[in-house]
Amino acid sequence: MTNQLFIVIKDTFLSQFKSRGYWMLVLSPLIFATLAGAVIFGITKMQGNTTPNIAVVSNQEVRSVLVQSEKELDIHVSNITNEKKANSALQNEKLDGVLTVNKNEATITTQPKSEQIPKEKITAILGNLSRSQKATQYGLTAQQTADLVQPYNLKSVVKQAEQSTNSGNTESANQLIASAIGIITVIIVMWYTSMIANAIANEKSSRIMEILLAATSARVQYFGKIIGIFALVTTHLLLYVIAGFTAFNFFKENSFVKGLASNLNGVTLSFIIYAVVFILVSVALYLVLTSMIASLINDNAQVQQAIQPISMIAMVGYVFSFIMTQMPNNLLIRILSYIPFASQSMMPIRLVTHTEGWPAAISALLIAIITLFLLLWFGQGIYARNVLSYSDEPIMKQLAARLRHK
């Protein structure tokens, strides 16, 4: 039986793995992401080459401080120190700005085509320098002067479930994670449930199923197809994980990627592993459910009937994952976070936003795993009784009748 099961798994896996449709599914998002990444990388690279060039007309102390702060301010301080020459260079668009610093005030002159100059940061540096100079005049020590010019540090946090996250990043991170997990789950579920339903429909409509069951058992076909398709899903996600880590490491110095990474600073490796495992378990649940329903298919015309209820169930978690970011403590959403077939789109988001902790997250995953094994055991009987039955009645009507007579 083991050899027969392996043959069915191998045949199911390779027949789809070699197909054009499978690679279109896998590569289409990667190609789109590559093109989008190339455009973003090019734009940010071009922006990176437009560092504003400014002339500083002031005493040597002010110039030295600004030269030392070039990297922090993302500017280039010109060697021009004469005000007349600086204004002439600005007029000829050789400079982006002229900063004139007097004793108690400073003026920055730009022209319409000037690159963006960080005026607030320059003001802060000049303010600290002015306070330091005045502190020295008042006879303060170096330590007292440093304490005086030390900026007040104000942090904004959102307190949730005994943990805090940066409030500026929370909302955008929630939306990104909700979108990613929800979309990935729905796409994978819809594609692979359709794949296993079509495989069963093709074998039944061509009567190949009868030949297969003469050589093997319904149980072997049932587990072989589910494991074979599940191996495709795992391969699919593994390719995406590898591509994602490779792209991140390659573009990690890009300003756009840095900004994205800062928004997702609450996402850890343990969370990524948890989310991927949860998605895999949930996809396996959908594959088992689809196999049970698809065993009632008479021909290819009934495939859509079989996968339509599966798609509707998958959409429940997808829709509520967006609602959850607005109403995380809603009772219905909290309940759905533990219910298999929906929890894969709910609980990972609740975990990463600290609405729930790891105990609740692990509990939801264990419930899904236990449900998977129970459904596998229950489904093999449904599959064995119906895989050789042929009826023109609606799929759901047949399933309801079979369950009543279970």
Side-chain angles (χ1 to χ4, degrees):
M1 179 179 173
T2 303
N3 290 337
Q4 292 178 339
L5 179 62
F6 178 76
I7 290 171
V8 175
I9 293 172
K10 181 180 177 181
D11 179 69
T12 302
F13 178 85
L14 291 179
S15 63
Q16 298 294 338
F17 186 78
K18 294 178 180 179
S19 68
R20 182 183 300 176
Y22 175 77
W23 286 104
M24 286 182 63
L25 171 70
V26 173
L27 296 178
S28 295
L30 293 178
I31 293 172
F32 176 79
T34 300
L35 292 175
V39 171
I40 293 170
F41 181 77
I43 292 173
T44 52
K45 266 294 184 182
M46 291 175 63
Q47 291 176 340
N49 292 328
T50 55
T51 301
N53 185 23
I54 69 172
V56 178
V57 180
S58 184
N59 58 54
Q60 187 59 39
E61 184 180 6
V62 173
R63 282 185 53 80
S64 298
V65 170
L66 290 174
V67 168
Q68 292 171 6
S69 304
E70 278 185 332
K71 188 173 182 180
E72 176 190 346
L73 297 171
D74 193 21
I75 63 171
H76 172 69
V77 177
S78 171
N79 292 326
I80 300 175
T81 58
N82 181 274
E83 185 173 4
K84 186 176 180 180
K85 290 182 179 179
N87 287 327
S88 175
L90 179 66
Q91 186 70 28
N92 295 326
E93 299 182 5
K94 294 180 180 179
L95 290 175
D96 293 297
V98 177
L99 176 64
T100 305
V101 183
N102 297 318
K103 185 175 181 181
N104 295 317
E105 64 177 8
T107 303
I108 186 162
T109 307
T110 61
Q111 42 96 358
K113 296 183 180 180
S114 294
E115 298 295 336
Q116 183 100 19
I117 297 174
K119 299 180 181 69
E120 293 81 5
K121 291 183 178 180
I122 291 175
T123 301
I125 289 176
L126 292 177
N128 286 339
L129 179 60
S130 176
R131 283 188 288 273
S132 296
Q133 291 173 340
K134 290 179 180 179
T136 302
Q137 294 174 5
Y138 297 152
L140 299 181
T141 64
Q143 181 61 46
Q144 289 171 332
T145 301
D147 291 339
L148 179 65
V149 300
Q150 181 69 29
Y152 193 84
N153 188 17
L154 175 64
K155 294 182 179 180
S156 177
V157 299
V158 176
K159 199 74 175 178
Q160 292 178 322
E162 298 183 355
Q163 295 191 42
S164 61
T165 57
N166 187 290
S167 62
N169 298 333
T170 300
E171 184 177 352
S172 58
N174 291 357
Q175 295 297 334
L176 283 171
I177 296 167
S179 299
I181 293 178
I183 291 172
I184 289 173
T185 304
V186 170
I187 290 176
I188 288 178
V189 165
M190 289 185 174
W191 180 267
Y192 287 102
T193 54
S194 176
M195 186 182 292
I196 197 169
N198 276 298
I200 295 172
N202 289 334
E203 292 175 354
K204 288 192 69 174
S205 60
S206 61
R207 296 300 190 268
I208 294 177
M209 183 65 74
E210 297 174 5
I211 299 173
L212 293 173
L213 293 183
T216 61
S217 65
R219 185 182 182 189
V220 168
Q221 290 293 320
Y222 171 75
F223 283 103
K225 283 182 171 57
I226 291 173
I227 297 173
I229 299 296
F230 184 75
L232 284 169
V233 177
T234 305
T235 304
H236 190 164
L237 287 180
L238 184 61
L239 288 172
Y240 280 2
V241 170
I242 293 172
F245 275 107
T246 302
F248 177 78
N249 287 325
F250 186 78
F251 295 107
K252 62 184 179 181
E253 296 303 323
N254 182 267
S255 59
F256 176 81
V257 175
K258 286 182 177 179
L260 183 63
S262 66
N263 282 335
L264 299 176
N265 57 6
V267 182
T268 61
L269 179 60
S270 58
F271 169 77
I272 293 174
I273 295 172
Y274 172 81
V276 170
V277 171
F278 213 147
I279 290 174
L280 287 174
V281 171
S282 298
V283 171
L285 275 167
Y286 280 103
L287 291 178
V288 175
L289 184 61
T290 304
S291 297
M292 293 166 54
I293 298 176
S295 66
L296 299 164
I297 291 175
N298 189 18
D299 53 43
N300 290 323
Q302 292 182 315
V303 170
Q304 191 58 39
Q305 288 185 42
I307 63 175
Q308 186 176 15
I310 307 295
S311 301
M312 292 176 64
I313 295 172
M315 288 299 295
V316 171
Y318 175 67
V319 171
F320 274 93
S321 66
F322 288 95
I323 299 175
M324 197 217 78
T325 58
Q326 306 299 323
M327 299 184 297
N329 294 313
N330 180 274
L331 181 60
L332 177 60
I333 290 175
R334 295 179 66 181
I335 293 172
L336 283 174
S337 299
Y338 291 91
I339 295 179
F341 298 103
S343 55
Q344 79 284 343
S345 296
M346 310 286 290
M347 187 55 77
I349 303 172
R350 295 177 69 81
L351 175 63
V352 79
T353 57
H354 306 294
T355 306
E356 298 283 3
W358 277 106
I362 297 298
S363 298
L365 179 58
L366 289 176
I367 291 172
I369 293 173
I370 292 171
T371 304
L372 173 60
F373 283 106
L374 292 175
L375 196 63
L376 269 170
W377 174 81
F378 178 78
Q380 63 180 327
I382 297 289
Y383 185 90
R385 283 196 303 275
N386 301 317
V387 75
L388 290 180
S389 67
Y390 297 91
S391 173
D392 292 326
E393 289 185 337
I395 297 295
M396 299 313 296
K397 184 177 180 181
Q398 293 183 58
L399 182 61
R402 299 298 192 280
L403 292 175
R404 282 198 301 269
H405 295 90
K406 171 69 176 170

